[in-house]
Amino acid sequence: MKRTTAASARPATAPATPQRVRTRTVAVFGTVAIVLIGLNLRAGISGASALFHDLQAVLGYGAFVAAIVPSVPTLCFAVAGAATSWLTRRLGVEKAILLSLVMLAGGLLLRGVPTTGMLVAGTVIGMSGLAVCNVAMPTFIREYFADRTSLMTALYTMTMTTGATVTSVLIVPLALQLGSPSAGLGSIGILALAACLGFLPIALHAHRHAPTVKAMHVSPWPLLRTRTGLLITVGFTVQALLAYSVLSWFPYMLATQGVSASQGGLMFGLMQLVSVPAGMVLIAIGARPHMLRPAFYLASVSTVVGVLGMLLLPANLAPVTAVFLGFGLGIFPLIMVMISRSGRNSTETTALSTVAQSVGYLLATAGPFGMGLLHSATGSWTLPLVLLLAVAAGQVVVGHLLTVRVMKPQAAGGQVVEPPLEGVQR
């Protein structure tokens, strides 16, 4: 049966991606960079979510802009993320990440200017930088920590949720101290500047030791015609739609139920806090033979229960809802580990990460945008949450299909063997 190939005019045995020079010092700086980048990957989003209610009240924008602003991150992740494969091929993964961090810091600082235009423009610039970083990080981990992909993926997703948790808890009190929600939002850019400085030694090292052998090119889009590429893209899409719908509107929903902004920020922080150990637990479960599917089930069912809690439980039981939703957010590291391990080398990993995240985030934009419009149209969160519940139930099915292919092949000793990435000529 004829295979679909992800790259044309390729030899039967493609050259491996050039190996990076790795010393103990590089490993240390790489680990520090992963931590600093992870702290920024959701901080700008969670900080904005906790301040949306106050920003709308102070800046005076209407319902349409209120629905657009939470949707900008996922839309930028789709559009800018699609260019990451080209950008890393032209600049190298390290310089692409450094550029993305500069854009992130600039955009976040720009949001500190108290106008609606600067809020939208800063969000577009910052989230476009974040998009490139999102797609490139699995490749960076693959190139520098090929023997520790699960550990380093867990580290960067743990710091990602930690950054989001701390930001969501502290951003409202900080904005009150600064006297402006815009100033509080803009202050998150300082954290992004720290990530730029932390990653600079890695980018300089890569520039000095640039490989003379040019990496092969793998086109991302034909991977959608393969089972592996399609399933991972669908899995990423569903979890992103659920995650960003909740991340965008959870504090706002609590505010409309009479919960104060500070208390809503605490509940949002609790949700993020739970997601930190949840991701570690789910990765530990999924790493065991035959246990990847139960790990996906556990995260997906938790999300279903959390959305039901948003529908049925009163505001004073918000901590229960936050705990279940937080555990459901732990599915993200599982998806990222699967992406990091797919393909023979980092070039194929970049291709799969590009297609999964660009398509996934584009479709996931319908989540926060649709919830905002439906709430404005109906004056209630009931219909948006019912539709979100249907998507959460669908994630259980997607998780089942996504884990079929990784549960069958086994090596001696009962260890699960990851099959090669389909659609790439061998």
Side-chain angles (χ1 to χ4, degrees):
M1 185 175 179
K2 186 177 180 180
R3 272 186 184 270
T4 301
T5 60
S8 60
R10 295 250 318 272
T13 303
T17 302
Q19 293 295 312
R20 302 294 176 186
V21 178
R22 178 178 161 190
T23 64
R24 183 179 296 274
T25 301
V26 171
V28 170
F29 275 109
T31 303
V32 171
I34 287 174
V35 171
L36 289 174
I37 291 172
L39 289 173
N40 282 275
L41 287 183
R42 277 187 183 167
I45 299 171
S46 63
S49 297
L51 291 172
F52 276 151
H53 192 269
D54 291 338
L55 285 167
Q56 185 175 10
V58 172
L59 299 180
Y61 51 79
F64 182 74
V65 174
I68 284 288
V69 173
S71 308
V72 169
T74 52
L75 190 59
C76 289
F77 292 168
V79 177
T84 304
S85 182
W86 172 84
L87 189 63
T88 56
R89 191 168 70 252
R90 293 295 298 265
L91 300 181
V93 67
E94 299 87 356
K95 292 179 183 177
I97 291 177
L98 182 62
L99 175 62
S100 73
L101 292 174
V102 171
M103 292 177 61
L104 175 62
L108 294 184
L109 290 171
L110 192 62
R111 296 198 301 187
V113 180
T115 67
T116 301
M118 291 298 100
L119 173 64
V120 175
T123 301
V124 170
I125 295 171
M127 295 305 105
S128 295
L130 192 57
V132 175
C133 204
N134 274 335
V135 176
M137 280 305 293
T139 304
F140 177 77
I141 291 173
R142 175 82 178 245
E143 291 190 0
Y144 283 85
F145 302 96
D147 54 337
R148 300 175 185 174
T149 54
S150 293
L151 176 62
M152 289 300 160
T153 300
L155 176 64
Y156 112 86
T157 53
M158 180 182 71
T159 54
M160 176 182 69
T161 49
T162 300
T165 301
V166 173
T167 303
S168 59
V169 171
L170 297 181
I171 194 64
V172 174
L174 178 61
L176 291 174
Q177 287 293 322
L178 295 174
S180 165
S182 296
L185 193 59
S187 65
I188 303 173
I190 298 173
L191 185 62
L193 283 176
C196 289
L197 296 176
F199 194 78
L200 188 58
I202 294 294
L204 291 174
H205 176 270
H207 179 72
R208 296 191 194 103
H209 299 86
T212 56
V213 180
K214 192 173 181 62
M216 65 179 182
H217 170 55
V218 176
S219 177
W221 310 113
L223 294 178
L224 286 174
R225 297 198 297 267
T226 70
R227 187 175 185 275
T228 300
L230 181 61
L231 284 176
I232 289 182
T233 299
V234 172
F236 190 93
T237 299
V238 174
Q239 67 82 29
L241 190 151
L242 290 168
Y244 283 93
S245 295
V246 172
L247 291 172
S248 297
W249 293 111
F250 185 61
Y252 197 107
M253 282 188 281
L254 294 179
T256 57
Q257 294 176 354
V259 177
S260 67
S262 296
Q263 189 67 21
L266 287 175
M267 291 301 98
F268 191 63
L270 174 63
M271 180 179 68
Q272 296 281 1
L273 182 63
V274 170
S275 69
V276 176
M280 304 293 288
V281 169
L282 290 170
I283 285 181
I285 294 173
R288 294 175 173 271
H290 303 292
M291 292 301 291
L292 184 58
R293 179 177 289 171
F296 272 93
Y297 284 165
L298 188 58
S300 300
V301 171
S302 179
T303 301
V304 170
V305 175
V307 177
L308 278 173
M310 295 168 72
L311 263 171
L312 304 176
L313 295 181
N316 63 332
L317 292 180
V320 176
T321 301
V323 168
F324 277 100
L325 288 174
F327 197 90
L329 290 175
I331 199 171
F332 178 76
L334 289 177
I335 296 288
M336 297 309 292
V337 167
M338 293 187 72
I339 292 175
S340 295
R341 290 180 172 179
S342 295
R344 289 175 305 168
N345 49 55
S346 60
T347 304
E348 293 176 1
T349 300
T350 300
L352 182 60
S353 184
T354 297
V355 70
Q357 295 200 46
S358 58
V359 173
Y361 281 126
L362 178 63
L363 298 178
T365 303
F369 182 69
M371 287 188 69
L373 285 184
L374 286 174
H375 171 66
S376 298
T378 63
S380 167
W381 289 108
T382 301
L383 180 57
L385 287 174
V386 168
L387 295 176
L388 198 65
L389 180 62
V391 176
Q395 184 174 258
V396 179
V397 178
V398 173
H400 177 87
L401 296 174
L402 187 62
T403 53
V404 167
R405 60 180 285 274
V406 296
M407 294 181 68
K408 292 180 180 178
Q410 292 193 19
Q415 294 297 315
V416 176
V417 178
E418 179 75 13
L421 179 61
E422 298 175 15
V424 177
Q425 177 109 2
R426 295 297 169 195

